[in-house]
Amino acid sequence: MAAGKKRLLDETSGNPKVKKTKTDKTARKAKEEPTKPFQTPSALVADEIDFPRGGGTSLTPLEVKTLRAEAAQEADKELFAVSKEANSKRRRKFDTNGKLQAREKDDKKVAAVRIEHLNYKACLVVGMKILGQVVAVEPLALIVSLPNQLFAHVPITQVSSQFTHILDSMDDADVQSSDEDGEDASPSRVSDLSDIFKPGQYVRAVVSAVNAPGSTDVTGLGRARDEVQRSSRRVELSLVPEKVNERIAKTDIRAGLILSAAVKSVEDHGYILDLGISEVTGFLSFKDAQKGPFDGEKKLQVGRLLDVIVSKLSGNGRTCNVSVDPQTLRSVSLAEVNSVNSVLPGALVHSLVTAIQPDGLILQVLGFFEGTVDQFHLPPGDPEDNYKIGQKVKARILYSVSPATPPRFALSLAEHVIKCITKPAVSSPSNTDLWKAYPVGTVLDAVKVIRVESERGLTVEVGSGIEGFIHISQVSDEHVPTLSASSGAWKTGTVHRARVTGYFPFDGILQLSLRSSVLAQKFLQVGDVQVGEVVKGTVKKLTDSALFVSISGNVDGVIWPNHHADIVLKHPQKRFKPGASIKCRVLVVDAERKRIALTAKKTLVESTLPIVAQLSDAQIGIITHAVVFKATDKSLQVEFYNNVKATVPAREANEATASALPAAFPIGKPVQVRIIAVDQETGRITASIRQASPNFKSTISDVSGVDIGDIVGGTVSDIRNDKAVVTLHPAQVTALLSLTNLANRREVSVAQLRSTLKISDKLSDLVVTSRNPEKGFVLVATKPKEKEALLQKSHLSLESIQPGQLVGGRVLRHLRYGALIKLSNSITGILHPTDAADDYESGKPFPSVDSVLKAVVLSINKERRQLALSTRMSRLFSTQGKPVTDREITSLRDINVGDTVRGFIKSVAEHGLFVTLGRDVDARIQIRELFDDYVKDWKSRFSVNQLVKGRILSVDVEKKQIEMSFRSGELKRDNRSQLSLSDLSEGQKIDGRVKRVEDYGLFIEIEGSKLSGLCHKSELSDNKDADVTLALRSFREGDKVKAVVLTVDQEKRRISFGLKPSYFEEKDFAQEESDREDEDASAPNFGVVDDAEGDDDDDDGDDDYADHPEDGQEDKSSDDEESSGSNDDVVAMDVDLTLDLQKPSKSLATAPGSASEALDLDDFQWSAPNLVEDVEMESDEYSDEDDEQDGRKKKKKRKMIEQDLTADMHTKAPDSNADFERLLLGSPNSSYLWVQYMSFQLQISEIDKAREIAKRALKTINFREEQEKLNVWIALLNLENIYGTDDSIESTFKDAARHNDSKTVHLRMAEIFEQSDKLEQAEEQFKKTAKKFSQSSKVWTLFAEYYLKQGMLEEARKLLPRSLQSLEKRKHLKTICKFAQLEYKLGDPERGKTIFEGIVDSHSKRWDMWSIYIDMEAVQGDIMSLRNLFDRVFALKMTSHKAKSFFKKWLELERRLGDEEGQGAVKAKAVEWTQRAAGTAQS
C-alpha cells in the first residue's frame, strides 16, 4: 500500500500540471467529490493532525461501525482499480517501445531533481539542519567545516542551554561576588570547549545566522588570523539539542534513533540528559558512559554535549535509555522512520540508486524521500562504473535541502564520512591524515584536471584517491571569467603545477592554487617561518607602538620599537617609509596566535653566531648574541630568540661598568654573551658578557684529572672568610678547603689556624669530596688520621661494623630527630643532640652542615641501614675519664623524681612543651609548670632545639610518660594525694587557698592536697560586733590564707577552719616569710639555659627613669610602639654612640689601647666607654648579679687570653690598614671593627678615607644585621657633623633615614647635634621629629628632656598638652608619668609631685603609678613623705600579694633612709593590715 502511494507521488511529480486558481480547484473538487476515491492521510507528511484524547465522538457505536465498513469497501475498490490501470499502461509501453521508452520515462521523472552545491546565496538558509566537522577549537568558539568547501563557526553560547546557563551564572558571580545565592548554580569548574570537542569530531547543527561578507564579528572569534577563520565568520551554527532535535515528536523515538543530547544533571547511578524533546528525557548510566570517547574523564560536566543512540524506551514513554558507544553510533543505520522530522543529519540510512548523472547520483532514501550525492562525496572513480541503477547503498545524511517539497536530502558516500573519521592520505605509506601528508605550502609538480565546473573551478587528481579543488580565482593571476572542459589551458586531462594553500576537511580534498605568484611565495603561513631566519620584507605601516612588515603574501611580521636598530631611533619615520624594502631576522614565531616578531638590529641581522631558539640550543660554552630587556644593579636580563631568556649577574658584566649596570646597558642594547650555566629543570640560563669578550682568558680549568675520593696535595693560594683556596698538584685545579675542617685536623682553633696558615703553605693528605666541572673547582677535606683507625667509606658495611666502633662521616642535613651523617654511599647515621656532647652548653649538639666528624657507633638498624652515633668525649675516649656534665639517659629507669636534668625542646604545643632528654626519652612540661608567675605570651619564649633545664616531677614507666617542671620550690604541689584526713589534728595550723566565697563563709583548700573545709564567717574576726559580711567581700578566690584546724569529722569527712587573729602568733608569719625567702634564695635557675645571662638586658625596657617589675607587663601592653623599639635608644642620650655597637670579640676587647687610646673629637668618642660606669642599676640585687656575671665573663676572658698567647696577631691592637683588613676578613659584620677602622683613619687625618670605609662597611655588612648597619650610619653622621658641611650632613642624614628605622635616625641626629653643642640645630631637629612622629610618646619625652637640660622649663612644659593632643589615648597616662619623672630629675620636684598626685587621684588602683611615685620620692630622701604615701596606699583595698610587695618596698626604704623604729613600725603595720583584712573578712 505504501509502495502504491509512492508511485502515485512519483507520477504526479513527473507530470506537472498547469497551476489553477483556487476558485477552479474548489469548483472541481465539489463536482468530483461523490466519485473521488477515499485516500488515507499519510503519516509521513510534516503536519500531523492532533485528535481528541480518548478518541471521543458524537456518533453512536453502531453508526461508527457502519461508517468504518463502508469506508473500507470504497478504499479497496479505488486502490485495486488504480493498480490495475497503472499496470496495464506500463505493460503496453514496454510492449510497444521496449526498454527505450522506460528509460525515457525515468529520465523525465528524475529530471526535476537537481544536484546542487551548498552555497551562501541560496541553499544555505537559517533553520537548515546540517552535519559538520570540527576544524579548530578556539577559547570562545568552534570552527566547523561544512560540505562543499564551506566553513562556519559555533559560539560558546550555542553549545547547550545548560552550558550557557553556567556561563551566565559565572558572569553574575563575578559582577556580584558578595551575592551567595548564585553559588548553587555556579559549579566549581566549567569545562573549556577543548575539553568537550576535538578537531576532526563530527557535529550536527542548525544554521542560526548567515551574515553578509565583511560583517562585524560578534562571535567571540576575535581577530581573524587566517583564511579559515575569515570564511567561518559568515555562517553561525547552533548545537543546542532543543534546536537540532526540533520537531521530533515523542512518537518518533524508537531504538536506533541517533540524537544530540546535553547533560542536564548528575544522579546517583548516571546522568539525566536533555534531548530537547518535550516530555522525554534521556538517561545514561555510569557504566555505559565509560564506553564513550571521553579520554578517561571520571565524570561528565553538566552542559556537556553528547551524541547518543536510543537503546530502550520506558513503558510510559517519558524516559529512554541511551548509549554513547562510538562504534555503535558509527555503524547503526535507519531502515524506516515514522516521520521525516526524525531524519537528522549524520544518520546512516538505507538508500536505493535511482539515477546516475554526470554531476552525481540520485537516491531514494528510506523508500520514500529523494536524495542527491554530489561528486565531492562519491568514492574516487567513474560513478557509472561504481554504481548501477537499483543498487542498494548506505549513505550518511549531510543536510536537508530547504525548502523542498517533497522533502529532499543531500547525502555522502565518501568513505571517511561514512566511518566518521578524518580523511586519510591513501597514498601515504603510514596512512596518516591528509593535512599531515600534504602540509600547507607543499608544491605539487603534477596535478591532473579530472572535472571542470565552468563557473566554479577545477577538480584535480593529486594522488591515488586524493583530490584537490582549485577555485576559479586561483587558476591564474589574471582574471578568468569562465572555464571549459573541452578547450583552453585547463581542460580535462591537462597536467599543471600547483601548491597546497589549505584543506577542506569535511569534503576530504585539498585546496590548491595554480597562480604563479602563489607558487613563488616563500611562506604561505606563519608556521613556515623559521626562527633566526633572515628575511626581506616590505614596510606596511609604522605606528608609535610597532612597525608592521609584509614578509610574503598574507604573512606579516611586527618589529617592536626596541628592535628598530642597535640604538634608540628618535625619528623612526625617517628610516621606515611605507613600501620600502627592509632586511630583518625572525625573532619570535607564535604559530598558535599567528604572530611573527622580527628584529632590524644590524648586530643581530648580520650575526654569524649560533641561534638560541630553545633551551636545548643553550649549550654551555657557546657564544651568541642577545638583547638586554631588563637591567638592575644586581643583574641583567637578556633575551635570545623565541622568548628564551638568560640572566647575567653583575659580576659577569663588563668589569668597568659593573657598578652602574642600568646606565651601561640600556634596554634594547645588543650584547655578546657566553652561556656558563643551564638548569634544565627550571629552564634557567646564566650567561656572561665578560667571558664573551675576545681578550678574555678563561679561568675555568679542566677538573677531569681529579675524581671524588682521590688523595691529593696542594698549595694554599688564598685565604678567605671560612675557606682556603688550594691549588692541587699536579692537576693545577682550584679547590676549596674548609678552615674548620683543617683546624679540627690540627686540633687548634680557627683563630689560631688563621694566624699560622700562610699563602704558599703546602698541604698534603687531602681527600676530594666534590667537584664541579662547570665552574672548574673541587671541594677537598683533610684525610682522617691513621691512628684513629677510621674505616674508609668504601670499606664500610653493616656486617663489619660493631657497636663501639669509631667511624667518620659528613653532616648532610638536620632532621627532627638529629643530624644525618653520611658514612658511605649506602650507610648513614643519626647523631641525636643528646649524644653530641657531654656538656650541652659548651658542645655542639647541632653540628654545621658539611662538617666532617668522628663518632662512636651505639647501635645498628640493619633494616634502615642506619647507625645510632655518639660524639661524646666520654665515648670517644672512654679510658681517659672525661668529665660528664649532662649524663646519658637511655630509658625511663635512668630518671628519678626530683632529678635536675637538661634537654632540648622537641616541639612547642598548645598545652606546653616536649623536651627530649635522650634518644628515646621525652618529657612533657605543662603550661602551669613553665613559670612561677603567670606569663601570657609564653610561646614566644621558647623555640625548637633550645637548651632547657628542669626538674622531674613524675615518671610513669608503664605509660612511658615523664612530667617535668621549670618552676622553683618544693614538689608539694605534686603530692596532694599523700595528705589525708587522718593526718590533720585540731589546732594544727595550715597554709591554704580560698577555693570559694559564700555568704556563710569561706571554703579553704589545704595547700599541697585536695582536702578542703569551711571557715564559717563567725571564725573570721575576734570582734563580735564586726561586720563579717564586709570581711567576706575582701577575700577573693585564689587568695592565700593561714588557718587553724578547729574540728575534723571523719565520718562526714568535714573540716572546720578558723581565721581569727587570736589563733596565731607573730612568729607564725615570721617563720613563713623566712621560709619563703630561704626557698627563693635556694631555688635553682630553671628554664631556657641559653638566655640566662641576657635576661637582665632584655627586661630593661624602654623606660630609663625607673625600673618596676610590677608594672612591666602593663607597660608592654599599653605601648606597643615603644616596646618594639631598641632598648638602648634612650640610654644613648647621655652616653657615646658606641653603646649601640655589638660586643667585640674577646681577643679585641682585651687588646691594649683599644679603649684607653681613643681619639676624642669634640665629645665624640670613637671607642666604647666603660659600660659599668655609664649605666646605673636601680637595685642592689641586680648590681650583685651583674657583678657576678661580669666576674664570670672576666674569668672566661682570661682563659681565652691564656689560650691565645701563641697567636701574636690577635693579642695586639690593630695599628695598620693591613691589620684592620685582616680582622675584617674574619668579622665582616662587626660594626665595632669598622668604626675603629674609621677612627684609625681620622687619627692620620684621612677624612675621605674614613668616609669610604663607612660606605664600604654599609655594602659589606649583611642586610640582616640591621643594628650593625645602624652603628656605622651613626658613626658616619658623627663624622659628617664634625668634618662635613651642612649639605653633606643633610645628604647623609636622608640616606640613613631611608635605609634604617626613620624615627631612630631622627632622634640620633638630634642627639648628635646636642652633644656637639649645636643647640639650634638640635632644637630644629627635635621639632621636625615631633612633627613627623607625633604618635610616638618617646619622641615627646626626649624633646622635653632636651628642653629641661637646656633650662627651658616653660618650653618643656608646653610640650605635654601638645603631646596629649597628638598621641593615642592609651599612651596618655604613660606620657604624663614620664613628664613627671623628668620634672623630678631635671625640673621642679614639686611640680612632678603635683603631676603624680593627679595621676594617683584619678587612677588610684594603678599600683605601677604608685610604685613609680614612691621611687621618685625616694630619690628626694624624704622619709616622712614616703611614710605618708605608704599610709595612703594601704588605705586602699588590695590583694594580699600586692600588699606584701609594698610592705617589702617600704621595709627596704626604711632600712636605707629610715631607722630601726621605722622598720619595726612597718612590721607592725603589716601584721595589723593582715589582721584587719582577716577581721574584715570575718565580719
Side-chain angles (χ1 to χ4, degrees), residues 30 35 58 121 128 157 276 294 370 439 449 533 571 599 718 730 793 797 810 952 1030 1048 1244 1370 1416 1446:
T35 61
S58 59
K121 296 180 180 180
M128 173 188 285
T157 55
F294 304 131
E370 293 175 349
V449 178
E533 187 175 1
H571 304 287
T599 179
D718 191 11
K793 295 180 182 179
S797 63
R810 181 169 60 90
I952 304 299
L1030 184 61
V1048 179
I1244 57 178
R1370 62 184 181 87
M1416 292 296 102
F1446 275 108

PDB file of all heavy atoms in Angstrom, residues 30 35 58 121 128 157 276 294 370 439 449 533 571 599 718 730 793 797 810 952 1030 1048 1244 1370 1416 1446:
ATOM      1  N   ALA A  30     -15.762  20.199  -5.687  1.00  0.00           N
ATOM      2  CA  ALA A  30     -17.160  19.983  -5.302  1.00  0.00           C
ATOM      3  C   ALA A  30     -17.891  19.103  -6.316  1.00  0.00           C
ATOM      4  O   ALA A  30     -18.778  18.316  -5.983  1.00  0.00           O
ATOM      5  CB  ALA A  30     -17.865  21.324  -5.176  1.00  0.00           C
ATOM      6  N   THR A  35     -17.483  10.973  -6.662  1.00  0.00           N
ATOM      7  CA  THR A  35     -16.804   9.872  -7.331  1.00  0.00           C
ATOM      8  C   THR A  35     -15.337   9.743  -6.963  1.00  0.00           C
ATOM      9  O   THR A  35     -14.657   8.855  -7.423  1.00  0.00           O
ATOM     10  CB  THR A  35     -16.904  10.051  -8.852  1.00  0.00           C
ATOM     11  OG1 THR A  35     -16.269  11.284  -9.202  1.00  0.00           O
ATOM     12  CG2 THR A  35     -18.368  10.080  -9.278  1.00  0.00           C
ATOM     13  N   SER A  58     -19.231  12.097  18.594  1.00  0.00           N
ATOM     14  CA  SER A  58     -20.661  12.316  18.890  1.00  0.00           C
ATOM     15  C   SER A  58     -21.557  11.209  18.323  1.00  0.00           C
ATOM     16  O   SER A  58     -22.767  11.190  18.587  1.00  0.00           O
ATOM     17  CB  SER A  58     -21.101  13.681  18.335  1.00  0.00           C
ATOM     18  OG  SER A  58     -20.886  13.716  16.938  1.00  0.00           O
ATOM     19  N   LYS A 121      24.477  31.782  -0.957  1.00  0.00           N
ATOM     20  CA  LYS A 121      23.436  32.640  -1.520  1.00  0.00           C
ATOM     21  C   LYS A 121      22.051  32.007  -1.432  1.00  0.00           C
ATOM     22  O   LYS A 121      21.092  32.635  -1.015  1.00  0.00           O
ATOM     23  CB  LYS A 121      23.759  32.976  -2.968  1.00  0.00           C
ATOM     24  CG  LYS A 121      25.035  33.787  -3.126  1.00  0.00           C
ATOM     25  CD  LYS A 121      25.316  34.092  -4.592  1.00  0.00           C
ATOM     26  CE  LYS A 121      26.606  34.900  -4.745  1.00  0.00           C
ATOM     27  NZ  LYS A 121      26.918  35.209  -6.155  1.00  0.00           N
ATOM     28  N   MET A 128      18.263  25.473   8.596  1.00  0.00           N
ATOM     29  CA  MET A 128      18.701  24.232   7.959  1.00  0.00           C
ATOM     30  C   MET A 128      19.517  23.407   8.957  1.00  0.00           C
ATOM     31  O   MET A 128      20.385  23.911   9.652  1.00  0.00           O
ATOM     32  CB  MET A 128      19.550  24.543   6.729  1.00  0.00           C
ATOM     33  CG  MET A 128      20.189  23.301   6.107  1.00  0.00           C
ATOM     34  SD  MET A 128      21.358  23.717   4.803  1.00  0.00           S
ATOM     35  CE  MET A 128      20.220  24.166   3.514  1.00  0.00           C
ATOM     36  N   THR A 157      28.109  30.164  23.333  1.00  0.00           N
ATOM     37  CA  THR A 157      26.766  30.222  23.915  1.00  0.00           C
ATOM     38  C   THR A 157      25.758  29.369  23.164  1.00  0.00           C
ATOM     39  O   THR A 157      24.584  29.338  23.535  1.00  0.00           O
ATOM     40  CB  THR A 157      26.272  31.679  23.938  1.00  0.00           C
ATOM     41  OG1 THR A 157      26.337  32.213  22.608  1.00  0.00           O
ATOM     42  CG2 THR A 157      27.130  32.520  24.861  1.00  0.00           C
ATOM     43  N   GLY A 276      15.979  17.806  24.250  1.00  0.00           N
ATOM     44  CA  GLY A 276      15.327  18.874  23.503  1.00  0.00           C
ATOM     45  C   GLY A 276      13.961  18.479  22.995  1.00  0.00           C
ATOM     46  O   GLY A 276      13.403  19.156  22.120  1.00  0.00           O
ATOM     47  N   PHE A 294      35.557   9.787  25.920  1.00  0.00           N
ATOM     48  CA  PHE A 294      35.735  10.914  26.833  1.00  0.00           C
ATOM     49  C   PHE A 294      37.141  11.006  27.406  1.00  0.00           C
ATOM     50  O   PHE A 294      37.358  11.698  28.396  1.00  0.00           O
ATOM     51  CB  PHE A 294      34.718  10.820  27.975  1.00  0.00           C
ATOM     52  CG  PHE A 294      33.294  10.742  27.508  1.00  0.00           C
ATOM     53  CD1 PHE A 294      32.434   9.775  27.999  1.00  0.00           C
ATOM     54  CD2 PHE A 294      32.821  11.619  26.546  1.00  0.00           C
ATOM     55  CE1 PHE A 294      31.125   9.688  27.556  1.00  0.00           C
ATOM     56  CE2 PHE A 294      31.509  11.532  26.095  1.00  0.00           C
ATOM     57  CZ  PHE A 294      30.660  10.566  26.602  1.00  0.00           C
ATOM     58  N   GLU A 370      13.610  11.678  -1.609  1.00  0.00           N
ATOM     59  CA  GLU A 370      14.612  11.858  -2.633  1.00  0.00           C
ATOM     60  C   GLU A 370      15.911  12.358  -1.997  1.00  0.00           C
ATOM     61  O   GLU A 370      15.895  13.133  -1.039  1.00  0.00           O
ATOM     62  CB  GLU A 370      14.121  12.859  -3.686  1.00  0.00           C
ATOM     63  CG  GLU A 370      12.943  12.353  -4.489  1.00  0.00           C
ATOM     64  CD  GLU A 370      12.423  13.414  -5.436  1.00  0.00           C
ATOM     65  OE1 GLU A 370      12.850  14.570  -5.289  1.00  0.00           O
ATOM     66  OE2 GLU A 370      11.602  13.085  -6.300  1.00  0.00           O
ATOM     67  N   PRO A 439      51.244  19.173   3.855  1.00  0.00           N
ATOM     68  CA  PRO A 439      51.186  20.411   4.628  1.00  0.00           C
ATOM     69  C   PRO A 439      50.964  21.616   3.716  1.00  0.00           C
ATOM     70  O   PRO A 439      51.252  21.596   2.514  1.00  0.00           O
ATOM     71  CB  PRO A 439      52.568  20.473   5.305  1.00  0.00           C
ATOM     72  CG  PRO A 439      53.135  19.105   5.182  1.00  0.00           C
ATOM     73  CD  PRO A 439      52.549  18.515   3.936  1.00  0.00           C
ATOM     74  N   VAL A 449      43.738  17.516 -14.199  1.00  0.00           N
ATOM     75  CA  VAL A 449      42.362  18.003 -14.150  1.00  0.00           C
ATOM     76  C   VAL A 449      41.437  16.856 -14.518  1.00  0.00           C
ATOM     77  O   VAL A 449      41.580  16.233 -15.587  1.00  0.00           O
ATOM     78  CB  VAL A 449      42.166  19.189 -15.111  1.00  0.00           C
ATOM     79  CG1 VAL A 449      40.707  19.650 -15.086  1.00  0.00           C
ATOM     80  CG2 VAL A 449      43.100  20.325 -14.764  1.00  0.00           C
ATOM     81  N   GLU A 533      65.805  33.019  10.945  1.00  0.00           N
ATOM     82  CA  GLU A 533      65.985  33.136   9.510  1.00  0.00           C
ATOM     83  C   GLU A 533      66.017  34.612   9.095  1.00  0.00           C
ATOM     84  O   GLU A 533      65.253  35.434   9.612  1.00  0.00           O
ATOM     85  CB  GLU A 533      64.846  32.416   8.796  1.00  0.00           C
ATOM     86  CG  GLU A 533      64.999  32.319   7.296  1.00  0.00           C
ATOM     87  CD  GLU A 533      63.905  31.488   6.671  1.00  0.00           C
ATOM     88  OE1 GLU A 533      63.019  31.010   7.430  1.00  0.00           O
ATOM     89  OE2 GLU A 533      63.914  31.323   5.445  1.00  0.00           O
ATOM     90  N   HIS A 571      63.672  59.460  15.421  1.00  0.00           N
ATOM     91  CA  HIS A 571      62.725  59.711  14.338  1.00  0.00           C
ATOM     92  C   HIS A 571      62.674  58.477  13.437  1.00  0.00           C
ATOM     93  O   HIS A 571      63.242  58.470  12.336  1.00  0.00           O
ATOM     94  CB  HIS A 571      63.144  60.941  13.526  1.00  0.00           C
ATOM     95  CG  HIS A 571      63.293  62.178  14.367  1.00  0.00           C
ATOM     96  ND1 HIS A 571      62.203  62.854  14.873  1.00  0.00           N
ATOM     97  CD2 HIS A 571      64.404  62.843  14.797  1.00  0.00           C
ATOM     98  CE1 HIS A 571      62.628  63.891  15.578  1.00  0.00           C
ATOM     99  NE2 HIS A 571      63.959  63.906  15.548  1.00  0.00           N
ATOM    100  N   THR A 599      63.341  41.471  14.068  1.00  0.00           N
ATOM    101  CA  THR A 599      64.308  42.442  14.563  1.00  0.00           C
ATOM    102  C   THR A 599      65.063  43.031  13.381  1.00  0.00           C
ATOM    103  O   THR A 599      65.416  42.318  12.437  1.00  0.00           O
ATOM    104  CB  THR A 599      65.289  41.811  15.568  1.00  0.00           C
ATOM    105  OG1 THR A 599      66.230  42.812  15.996  1.00  0.00           O
ATOM    106  CG2 THR A 599      66.035  40.649  14.971  1.00  0.00           C
ATOM    107  N   ASP A 718      95.127  31.262  48.529  1.00  0.00           N
ATOM    108  CA  ASP A 718      94.361  32.384  49.074  1.00  0.00           C
ATOM    109  C   ASP A 718      93.640  31.917  50.321  1.00  0.00           C
ATOM    110  O   ASP A 718      93.315  30.725  50.462  1.00  0.00           O
ATOM    111  CB  ASP A 718      93.356  32.908  48.042  1.00  0.00           C
ATOM    112  CG  ASP A 718      92.744  34.242  48.469  1.00  0.00           C
ATOM    113  OD1 ASP A 718      93.262  34.836  49.439  1.00  0.00           O
ATOM    114  OD2 ASP A 718      91.758  34.676  47.834  1.00  0.00           O
ATOM    115  N   PRO A 730      99.356  17.401  40.760  1.00  0.00           N
ATOM    116  CA  PRO A 730      99.925  18.219  39.666  1.00  0.00           C
ATOM    117  C   PRO A 730      98.858  18.706  38.681  1.00  0.00           C
ATOM    118  O   PRO A 730      99.181  19.226  37.627  1.00  0.00           O
ATOM    119  CB  PRO A 730     100.855  17.231  38.977  1.00  0.00           C
ATOM    120  CG  PRO A 730     100.144  15.903  39.122  1.00  0.00           C
ATOM    121  CD  PRO A 730      99.404  15.943  40.427  1.00  0.00           C
ATOM    122  N   LYS A 793      85.150   4.932  53.635  1.00  0.00           N
ATOM    123  CA  LYS A 793      83.760   4.766  53.218  1.00  0.00           C
ATOM    124  C   LYS A 793      83.597   3.570  52.294  1.00  0.00           C
ATOM    125  O   LYS A 793      82.606   2.871  52.334  1.00  0.00           O
ATOM    126  CB  LYS A 793      83.256   6.035  52.533  1.00  0.00           C
ATOM    127  CG  LYS A 793      83.192   7.223  53.469  1.00  0.00           C
ATOM    128  CD  LYS A 793      82.678   8.441  52.742  1.00  0.00           C
ATOM    129  CE  LYS A 793      82.654   9.650  53.667  1.00  0.00           C
ATOM    130  NZ  LYS A 793      82.175  10.861  52.978  1.00  0.00           N
ATOM    131  N   SER A 797      80.637  -1.571  55.858  1.00  0.00           N
ATOM    132  CA  SER A 797      79.498  -2.432  55.574  1.00  0.00           C
ATOM    133  C   SER A 797      78.823  -2.742  56.899  1.00  0.00           C
ATOM    134  O   SER A 797      79.452  -2.711  57.967  1.00  0.00           O
ATOM    135  CB  SER A 797      79.930  -3.717  54.866  1.00  0.00           C
ATOM    136  OG  SER A 797      80.772  -4.484  55.705  1.00  0.00           O
ATOM    137  N   ARG A 810      80.277  12.788  57.149  1.00  0.00           N
ATOM    138  CA  ARG A 810      79.995  14.206  56.887  1.00  0.00           C
ATOM    139  C   ARG A 810      78.526  14.491  57.162  1.00  0.00           C
ATOM    140  O   ARG A 810      77.654  13.703  56.823  1.00  0.00           O
ATOM    141  CB  ARG A 810      80.338  14.533  55.429  1.00  0.00           C
ATOM    142  CG  ARG A 810      80.101  15.988  55.027  1.00  0.00           C
ATOM    143  CD  ARG A 810      80.714  16.260  53.655  1.00  0.00           C
ATOM    144  NE  ARG A 810      80.130  15.421  52.640  1.00  0.00           N
ATOM    145  CZ  ARG A 810      79.055  15.748  51.925  1.00  0.00           C
ATOM    146  NH1 ARG A 810      78.451  16.900  52.141  1.00  0.00           N
ATOM    147  NH2 ARG A 810      78.591  14.936  50.993  1.00  0.00           N
ATOM    148  N   ILE A 952      62.442  16.836  87.379  1.00  0.00           N
ATOM    149  CA  ILE A 952      61.498  15.758  87.117  1.00  0.00           C
ATOM    150  C   ILE A 952      60.422  15.757  88.197  1.00  0.00           C
ATOM    151  O   ILE A 952      60.738  15.709  89.400  1.00  0.00           O
ATOM    152  CB  ILE A 952      62.209  14.397  87.058  1.00  0.00           C
ATOM    153  CG1 ILE A 952      63.325  14.420  85.999  1.00  0.00           C
ATOM    154  CG2 ILE A 952      61.213  13.292  86.754  1.00  0.00           C
ATOM    155  CD1 ILE A 952      62.844  14.696  84.609  1.00  0.00           C
ATOM    156  N   LEU A1030      31.322  42.410 105.339  1.00  0.00           N
ATOM    157  CA  LEU A1030      32.367  43.210 104.693  1.00  0.00           C
ATOM    158  C   LEU A1030      33.681  42.454 104.631  1.00  0.00           C
ATOM    159  O   LEU A1030      34.449  42.558 103.674  1.00  0.00           O
ATOM    160  CB  LEU A1030      32.527  44.539 105.432  1.00  0.00           C
ATOM    161  CG  LEU A1030      33.511  45.540 104.836  1.00  0.00           C
ATOM    162  CD1 LEU A1030      33.075  45.926 103.431  1.00  0.00           C
ATOM    163  CD2 LEU A1030      33.636  46.770 105.720  1.00  0.00           C
ATOM    164  N   VAL A1048      37.671  18.112 112.975  1.00  0.00           N
ATOM    165  CA  VAL A1048      37.794  17.167 111.874  1.00  0.00           C
ATOM    166  C   VAL A1048      36.758  16.076 112.090  1.00  0.00           C
ATOM    167  O   VAL A1048      36.823  15.339 113.073  1.00  0.00           O
ATOM    168  CB  VAL A1048      39.205  16.557 111.789  1.00  0.00           C
ATOM    169  CG1 VAL A1048      39.281  15.569 110.634  1.00  0.00           C
ATOM    170  CG2 VAL A1048      40.254  17.637 111.644  1.00  0.00           C
ATOM    171  N   ILE A1244      94.987  59.856  61.442  1.00  0.00           N
ATOM    172  CA  ILE A1244      96.042  60.268  60.497  1.00  0.00           C
ATOM    173  C   ILE A1244      95.467  61.260  59.489  1.00  0.00           C
ATOM    174  O   ILE A1244      96.024  61.430  58.401  1.00  0.00           O
ATOM    175  CB  ILE A1244      96.639  59.044  59.792  1.00  0.00           C
ATOM    176  CG1 ILE A1244      95.538  58.235  59.073  1.00  0.00           C
ATOM    177  CG2 ILE A1244      97.367  58.160  60.788  1.00  0.00           C
ATOM    178  CD1 ILE A1244      96.076  57.032  58.316  1.00  0.00           C
ATOM    179  N   ARG A1370      45.484  55.741  74.781  1.00  0.00           N
ATOM    180  CA  ARG A1370      46.103  54.708  75.605  1.00  0.00           C
ATOM    181  C   ARG A1370      47.520  55.065  76.043  1.00  0.00           C
ATOM    182  O   ARG A1370      48.045  54.471  76.972  1.00  0.00           O
ATOM    183  CB  ARG A1370      46.119  53.383  74.851  1.00  0.00           C
ATOM    184  CG  ARG A1370      46.926  53.389  73.582  1.00  0.00           C
ATOM    185  CD  ARG A1370      46.814  52.077  72.830  1.00  0.00           C
ATOM    186  NE  ARG A1370      47.599  52.063  71.621  1.00  0.00           N
ATOM    187  CZ  ARG A1370      48.879  51.721  71.559  1.00  0.00           C
ATOM    188  NH1 ARG A1370      49.512  51.375  72.662  1.00  0.00           N
ATOM    189  NH2 ARG A1370      49.526  51.732  70.406  1.00  0.00           N
ATOM    190  N   MET A1416      60.309  57.951  92.925  1.00  0.00           N
ATOM    191  CA  MET A1416      60.738  59.333  92.712  1.00  0.00           C
ATOM    192  C   MET A1416      60.899  60.085  94.029  1.00  0.00           C
ATOM    193  O   MET A1416      61.829  60.868  94.214  1.00  0.00           O
ATOM    194  CB  MET A1416      59.719  60.044  91.814  1.00  0.00           C
ATOM    195  CG  MET A1416      59.668  59.544  90.376  1.00  0.00           C
ATOM    196  SD  MET A1416      61.204  59.832  89.452  1.00  0.00           S
ATOM    197  CE  MET A1416      61.927  58.196  89.512  1.00  0.00           C
ATOM    198  N   PHE A1446      54.361  45.853  98.508  1.00  0.00           N
ATOM    199  CA  PHE A1446      54.516  47.221  99.008  1.00  0.00           C
ATOM    200  C   PHE A1446      55.167  47.240 100.393  1.00  0.00           C
ATOM    201  O   PHE A1446      55.972  48.122 100.698  1.00  0.00           O
ATOM    202  CB  PHE A1446      53.156  47.931  99.045  1.00  0.00           C
ATOM    203  CG  PHE A1446      52.776  48.558  97.734  1.00  0.00           C
ATOM    204  CD1 PHE A1446      51.770  48.020  96.944  1.00  0.00           C
ATOM    205  CD2 PHE A1446      53.433  49.688  97.283  1.00  0.00           C
ATOM    206  CE1 PHE A1446      51.428  48.589  95.738  1.00  0.00           C
ATOM    207  CE2 PHE A1446      53.091  50.275  96.077  1.00  0.00           C
ATOM    208  CZ  PHE A1446      52.089  49.721  95.294  1.00  0.00           C
TER     209      PHE A1446
END
